[in-house]
Amino acid sequence: MLTTDFLTQLQSLLPSERLYTDPVDCYAYAYDNSQKIYPPDVVAFPLTSEEVQAIVVLCNIHKVPLTPRGRGTGTVGGSLPEQGGVALSLERMLQIIVVDPANRVIVAEPGVLNQTVQNSAKLHGFFWPPDPTSAAYSSIGGNLATSAGGPHAVKYGTTRDHVLGMKAVTGKGEAIKTGCYTTKGVVGYDLTRLLIGSEGTLAVITEATLKLTPLPQAIGGITAHFQDAASCAAAVVSIMSLSQIPSALEFLDKGSLNLIRGRFPDMLPADTGAMLMIEVDGSPREIIDSSTAILSACRNEGLLQAEQVSDATNLWRMRKALSPLLRDIAPNKINEDIVVPVATLPELLKGLSQLSSKYQIINVNFGHAGNGNIHVNLLVNQDNIDEMARAEKCLNEVFELVIRLNGTLSGEHGIGREKRAYVDKEIDATTLALMKDIKQVFDPNNILNPGKLFL
Amino acid sequence: MLTTDFLTQLQSLLPSERLYTDPVDCYAYAYDNSQKIYPPDVVAFPLTSEEVQAIVVLCNIHKVPLTPRGRGTGTVGGSLPEQGGVALSLERMLQIIVVDPANRVIVAEPGVLNQTVQNSAKLHGFFWPPDPTSAAYSSIGGNLATSAGGPHAVKYGTTRDHVLGMKAVTGKGEAIKTGCYTTKGVVGYDLTRLLIGSEGTLAVITEATLKLTPLPQAIGGITAHFQDAASCAAAVVSIMSLSQIPSALEFLDKGSLNLIRGRFPDMLPADTGAMLMIEVDGSPREIIDSSTAILSACRNEGLLQAEQVSDATNLWRMRKALSPLLRDIAPNKINEDIVVPVATLPELLKGLSQLSSKYQIINVNFGHAGNGNIHVNLLVNQDNIDEMARAEKCLNEVFELVIRLNGTLSGEHGIGREKRAYVDKEIDATTLALMKDIKQVFDPNNILNPGKLFL
């Protein structure tokens, strides 16, 4: 519970239309895409770095938890005000401060939507490579906080490869400036990358300098249908050993395809047991070269058909249809985004299938196969206690399999609150303790998104 | 001075052939490419992470300074044992632990030479993009510690973009493991990037997981001669606004060209006042496309001639000739590697020329123009007190110009001891204090490369 003293001081920092205190108003800031609900006591909407700083300072004085929030599209509860206190919504910090095509840079405030950045960049022939599926309604600040990747990471890398610098306010309430405005720079410690993916536990990002990439001349698409996951995974390994790197390489397993078939009966051939949606980009000539090489790499005994698609934008129709379908069929599905080295994908998919049988848990697996980043969905009904108990054991074994294959628990969703119980499977105690010490430096009173990332 | 007690314990950790105590032997570990000399009291040559850890623990107990060292090719004194104590030479940790072409990964110990990594990768059709000019004799550990880039960074990015994870021993003596083995991963804080470029002040890197890139099918070269620096810089801006990104874009100013002319009178046309050496890579078709676009972007009123070169490896002949020539003419030259946003290169070069006149200091400027990363060399004689005083003022103004242009003091050399007096021109006091707090977390007794990076 917040004290009157604290509230009075907070009210002195922001006009009433930028401070929600009514629980009804606050409720919209209680959840994210993890489907968990933790209402904040207040929601604050700063407009400037100075306002962010004043709020952080005040929360430090009163030891009030403060949870930064973009647009709440995260899937692991990273933006949930789990311990109440202040939800710091950055959604009204909407300025694009600099558009500098000559230096391939956009400087944006955290509330700017990913898509808005893309639109601004596109006017000048550029794009910003990170492209979470939520781009139309997720913010740059949230993207940086989670290092959200997306399908194009296979060719272009993830968020941390495309940010030059930022301004931020640490948990201690200090305004800092990290990185630089140039594509090279090694002065001081790399605080930019330290903040990227830190899920709002170290600092509140108030400005980001984004590095742009020239738009490809053209985009081409390929779909490849396989009789089973094993042959499909083998094709992924072959494709990723080519010198031509696809700009996206997305995998759909049988469970995913069956979901799509349920809603769109004519979209897919009956015998397809697994498929790849592949995007290539570059000059028209490069697209021909890459497509030829990739089609050839797809050829194995399990291949049913592989072909170029005339309209590459159409390629994503099935993939985009999938997430809402999953939500419909299992509103409380357990949604993971594990990563394994690409060459171990066949072993991962085999293992997932065995675990599904062993625990009698239906799973649906799809995702960014070119990075070995698979979204593993356990379709569970959270009201079924027995099923949930089996799912928990299954998930535990999934994570153990991933670690055994030299993989990682999360490729782009992060840890938040959903995965923190599993972090020590991947990170040893010494390294974890060091991370906690770093947290302590940035946020000595542990007010910033407390309890997230690690227990 | 080291105590007998410390020495006895150190001798119990390493056999005598891996511990130098004779000042004559130690002297070879007293200098680097900054030409400064600080002899260590002992030189230790660990072979394993465990030995590194034991040495760090011992140095903590006795509060003995410990300076990690690769092959001593750094230019800013980062590996100099300025406060004496132990020089920790990693040069005998020479194992390539994993070569995994299917996952595009090489895992190497810190002493492995950059070129050895390239040779291992090449066997499988890959390369590791960071390519400092010193590749043949510089080590991976040193490369990571300084985030050494090289000419290909304009297309491929710098060291921090090509490392997946590492093992390290912190200044506190704790063995940690950072990052992962996959191309995506967001579990915990990004300690990998925090250590890259930290110049051995936070931890000793004992193993690095390097991300490989497919070798381009072919390489093409272009040379472009301009009448002056202004037209040459304008061409750089035009080239960097193309969607085709060159794989290297190197600039040589008049001073550089005159040095080359002095030794190789026939290598250059008489009227060339500045030139570009440009490399493009990709399929033969892409090379044609890129070359055509780049040649066209070079065309301005100052262009004297621009042409494709038949043998691209020959392209680097002049560039490689330059560094030894500079050393011959001014053995104690002041060598900077500032970076400015590419579109401000014309202004930078104009400013450098003005400062050269103002302070009567001859300077020679060349380097990675595609990143805006220029090596500014002030050709001074350190015995000339008046010249050195002017050089110091000139350098100060160079840095002020760079900061005014929104640039950074170092693109790849780092800070070490040579630039630490200038760091606060770029990094504000709050951010610097935070960096020092992070240093404190990793190295509470300040034994690891003490005094480097910041005062």
Side-chain angles (χ1 to χ4, degrees):
Chain A
M1 293 300 293
L2 304 180
T3 63
T4 316
D5 188 23
F6 173 79
L7 275 175
T8 309
Q9 290 184 56
L10 188 57
Q11 279 158 345
S12 76
L13 297 178
L14 296 174
S16 60
E17 71 274 16
R18 293 200 278 112
L19 190 65
Y20 292 175
T21 52
D22 186 326
V24 176
D25 296 331
C26 290
Y27 192 79
Y29 295 82
Y31 49 85
D32 67 0
N33 199 12
S34 74
Q35 313 290 307
K36 303 297 188 302
I37 295 168
Y38 291 95
D41 294 304
V42 299
V43 186
F45 299 89
L47 293 185
T48 64
S49 177
E50 290 71 23
E51 286 184 352
V52 169
Q53 189 173 10
I55 296 165
V56 177
V57 167
L58 185 65
C59 287
N60 266 289
I61 294 168
H62 295 264
K63 310 283 183 294
V64 170
L66 178 74
T67 301
R69 182 183 175 93
R71 291 295 286 262
T73 57
T75 64
V76 294
S79 64
L80 298 184
E82 205 180 10
Q83 300 182 14
V86 180
L88 187 76
S89 173
L90 284 314
E91 72 189 297
R92 300 193 194 175
M93 290 185 69
L94 283 170
Q95 301 299 312
I96 292 191
I97 298 163
V98 174
V99 179
D100 181 357
N103 291 309
R104 303 186 173 190
V105 165
I106 280 182
V107 181
E109 289 185 340
V112 175
L113 297 184
N114 277 289
Q115 192 58 51
T116 307
V117 168
Q118 302 297 7
N119 296 346
S120 293
K122 193 175 182 180
L123 289 175
H124 302 279
F126 294 99
F127 73 116
W128 190 59
D131 62 334
T133 311
S134 60
Y137 40 90
S138 65
S139 68
I140 286 294
N143 187 321
L144 268 59
T146 57
S147 195
H152 290 121
V154 62
K155 177 166 180 175
Y156 293 100
T158 63
T159 302
R160 65 167 71 102
D161 302 313
H162 301 283
V163 181
L164 298 174
M166 51 179 89
K167 289 184 182 169
V169 174
T170 66
K172 215 164 153 177
E174 294 183 328
I176 60 168
K177 188 171 165 289
T178 78
C180 51
Y181 193 83
T182 53
T183 51
K184 266 178 159 177
V186 289
V187 176
Y189 299 141
D190 186 351
L191 301 183
T192 306
R193 256 55 58 169
L194 186 60
L195 295 189
I196 293 174
S198 67
E199 304 189 36
T201 61
L202 298 179
V204 182
I205 298 164
T206 58
E207 185 182 300
T209 302
L210 309 175
K211 182 174 83 169
L212 304 178
T213 298
L215 277 168
Q217 281 182 50
I219 293 172
I222 293 166
T223 56
H225 297 252
F226 296 85
Q227 63 189 25
D228 52 28
S231 53
C232 189
V236 171
V237 177
S238 296
I239 293 166
M240 289 308 294
S241 69
L242 297 172
S243 65
Q244 295 90 347
I245 303 179
S247 49
L249 175 49
E250 297 289 302
F251 164 80
L252 297 177
D253 79 345
K254 193 170 194 168
S256 313
L257 298 171
N258 283 340
L259 273 181
I260 294 167
R261 283 188 182 102
R263 180 70 57 94
F264 306 104
D266 302 326
M267 209 185 239
L268 285 162
D271 52 354
T272 300
M275 78 173 280
L276 297 177
M277 295 179 306
I278 307 161
E279 189 189 274
V280 289
D281 67 12
S283 67
R285 179 75 213 188
E286 283 171 75
I287 288 175
I288 293 169
D289 288 350
S290 301
S291 300
T292 308
I294 288 169
L295 285 168
S296 167
C298 284
R299 262 174 230 125
N300 62 36
E301 60 246 47
L303 179 70
L304 299 174
Q305 63 176 84
E307 57 188 4
Q308 285 183 264
V309 294
S310 52
D311 181 3
T313 54
N314 215 2
L315 191 68
W316 299 104
R317 204 161 50 105
M318 265 182 286
R319 175 69 178 79
K320 293 218 167 176
L322 191 60
S323 289
L325 290 173
L326 273 169
R327 198 55 89 198
D328 289 352
I329 198 168
N332 294 308
K333 70 187 168 77
I334 298 172
N335 169 15
E336 300 302 331
D337 85 311
I338 52 90
V339 192
V340 295
V342 170
T344 70
L345 266 181
E347 203 172 335
L348 173 77
L349 293 174
K350 194 173 150 200
L352 290 175
S353 165
Q354 285 165 346
L355 291 173
S356 172
S357 303
K358 177 174 172 184
Y359 291 104
Q360 291 294 299
I361 299 286
I362 297 169
N363 62 14
V364 166
N365 307 304
F366 61 93
H368 318 308
N371 291 108
N373 185 194
I374 300 295
H375 296 291
V376 176
N377 291 270
L378 307 186
L379 304 192
V380 289
N381 173 358
Q382 300 219 355
D383 299 332
N384 182 335
I385 294 168
D386 173 60
E387 187 173 68
M388 288 306 287
R390 280 182 284 118
E392 198 176 315
K393 283 183 190 160
C394 179
L395 191 58
N396 199 51
E397 280 209 52
V398 168
F399 288 150
E400 279 171 10
L401 171 63
V402 166
I403 298 296
R404 202 161 59 242
L405 295 175
N406 215 358
T408 178
L409 301 185
S410 177
E412 51 188 21
H413 292 173
I415 299 302
R417 65 176 300 287
E418 295 294 306
K419 291 198 199 178
R420 66 188 162 200
Y422 302 100
V423 168
D424 63 0
K425 280 190 191 295
E426 178 167 343
I427 305 181
D428 61 82
T430 308
T431 308
L432 261 181
L434 181 69
M435 290 181 182
K436 288 177 190 175
D437 287 345
I438 291 173
K439 160 81 171 167
Q440 177 75 14
V441 164
F442 280 81
D443 180 25
N445 291 317
N446 192 29
I447 61 151
L448 210 52
N449 213 356
K452 300 294 170 58
L453 265 188
F454 11 70
L455 291 171
Chain B
M1 293 300 294
L2 304 180
T3 63
T4 316
D5 187 25
F6 172 79
L7 276 175
T8 308
Q9 290 183 56
L10 189 57
Q11 279 158 343
S12 77
L13 297 177
L14 296 175
S16 60
E17 71 274 15
R18 292 201 279 112
L19 190 65
Y20 291 174
T21 51
D22 184 327
V24 176
D25 295 331
C26 289
Y27 192 78
Y29 295 82
Y31 49 85
D32 68 357
N33 199 12
S34 73
Q35 313 288 307
K36 303 297 188 305
I37 295 169
Y38 291 95
D41 294 304
V42 298
V43 186
F45 300 90
L47 292 185
T48 64
S49 178
E50 290 71 22
E51 286 184 351
V52 169
Q53 190 173 10
I55 295 165
V56 177
V57 167
L58 185 64
C59 287
N60 266 290
I61 293 169
H62 294 266
K63 310 282 185 293
V64 170
L66 178 75
T67 302
R69 182 184 176 92
R71 292 294 286 262
T73 58
T75 64
V76 293
S79 65
L80 298 183
E82 205 179 10
Q83 301 182 13
V86 179
L88 188 76
S89 173
L90 284 315
E91 71 189 298
R92 300 193 193 175
M93 290 185 68
L94 283 169
Q95 300 300 312
I96 292 192
I97 298 163
V98 175
V99 179
D100 180 357
N103 291 309
R104 303 186 172 189
V105 166
I106 280 182
V107 181
E109 288 185 341
V112 175
L113 296 184
N114 277 288
Q115 191 58 51
T116 307
V117 167
Q118 302 298 7
N119 296 346
S120 293
K122 194 174 182 180
L123 289 175
H124 303 278
F126 294 99
F127 73 117
W128 190 59
D131 62 335
T133 311
S134 59
Y137 39 89
S138 64
S139 68
I140 285 294
N143 188 321
L144 268 59
T146 56
S147 195
H152 290 121
V154 62
K155 177 166 181 176
Y156 292 100
T158 63
T159 303
R160 65 168 69 102
D161 302 313
H162 301 283
V163 182
L164 299 174
M166 50 178 90
K167 289 185 183 169
V169 175
T170 67
K172 216 165 152 176
E174 294 183 329
I176 61 168
K177 188 172 166 290
T178 78
C180 51
Y181 193 84
T182 54
T183 51
K184 267 180 160 177
V186 289
V187 176
Y189 300 141
D190 186 351
L191 301 183
T192 306
R193 255 55 57 170
L194 187 59
L195 294 190
I196 292 174
S198 67
E199 304 189 36
T201 63
L202 298 178
V204 181
I205 298 164
T206 58
E207 186 183 300
T209 302
L210 309 175
K211 182 173 82 168
L212 304 178
T213 297
L215 278 167
Q217 281 181 50
I219 293 173
I222 292 167
T223 56
H225 297 252
F226 297 85
Q227 63 190 26
D228 52 29
S231 53
C232 189
V236 170
V237 177
S238 296
I239 293 166
M240 289 308 294
S241 69
L242 297 172
S243 65
Q244 295 91 345
I245 303 179
S247 49
L249 175 50
E250 296 290 303
F251 163 81
L252 297 177
D253 79 346
K254 193 170 192 168
S256 313
L257 298 171
N258 283 341
L259 274 181
I260 295 168
R261 283 187 182 102
R263 180 69 57 94
F264 306 104
D266 302 327
M267 208 185 238
L268 284 163
D271 50 355
T272 301
M275 77 174 281
L276 297 176
M277 295 179 307
I278 307 161
E279 189 189 275
V280 289
D281 68 12
S283 67
R285 178 77 212 186
E286 283 171 76
I287 288 176
I288 293 169
D289 289 350
S290 301
S291 299
T292 307
I294 288 169
L295 286 169
S296 167
C298 283
R299 261 176 230 125
N300 62 35
E301 58 246 49
L303 179 70
L304 299 174
Q305 63 176 82
E307 58 187 4
Q308 286 183 263
V309 292
S310 51
D311 180 3
T313 54
N314 214 2
L315 190 69
W316 299 104
R317 205 160 49 105
M318 263 181 287
R319 175 70 177 79
K320 293 218 166 177
L322 191 60
S323 289
L325 290 173
L326 273 168
R327 198 53 90 200
D328 288 353
I329 199 168
N332 295 307
K333 69 187 168 77
I334 298 172
N335 169 15
E336 300 302 331
D337 85 309
I338 53 87
V339 191
V340 296
V342 171
T344 69
L345 265 181
E347 204 172 335
L348 173 77
L349 293 174
K350 193 173 150 203
L352 289 176
S353 166
Q354 285 165 347
L355 291 173
S356 172
S357 302
K358 178 175 173 184
Y359 291 104
Q360 290 294 298
I361 298 287
I362 297 169
N363 61 13
V364 166
N365 307 305
F366 62 93
H368 318 308
N371 291 107
N373 185 195
I374 301 294
H375 295 292
V376 176
N377 292 270
L378 308 185
L379 303 191
V380 289
N381 174 357
Q382 301 218 354
D383 298 331
N384 182 334
I385 292 167
D386 174 61
E387 186 173 69
M388 288 306 288
R390 280 182 281 118
E392 199 177 313
K393 285 183 189 158
C394 179
L395 191 58
N396 198 52
E397 281 210 52
V398 168
F399 288 150
E400 279 171 10
L401 171 64
V402 166
I403 298 297
R404 202 161 59 240
L405 295 175
N406 215 357
T408 178
L409 302 185
S410 177
E412 50 187 23
H413 293 170
I415 300 302
R417 64 176 299 288
E418 295 294 307
K419 290 197 200 177
R420 67 189 162 200
Y422 302 101
V423 167
D424 63 359
K425 280 189 190 295
E426 178 167 344
I427 306 181
D428 62 82
T430 308
T431 308
L432 262 181
L434 181 70
M435 289 181 183
K436 288 176 189 175
D437 287 346
I438 291 172
K439 159 80 172 168
Q440 178 75 14
V441 164
F442 280 79
D443 181 24
N445 291 316
N446 193 30
I447 60 150
L448 211 52
N449 213 356
K452 299 296 169 58
L453 264 187
F454 11 71
L455 291 171

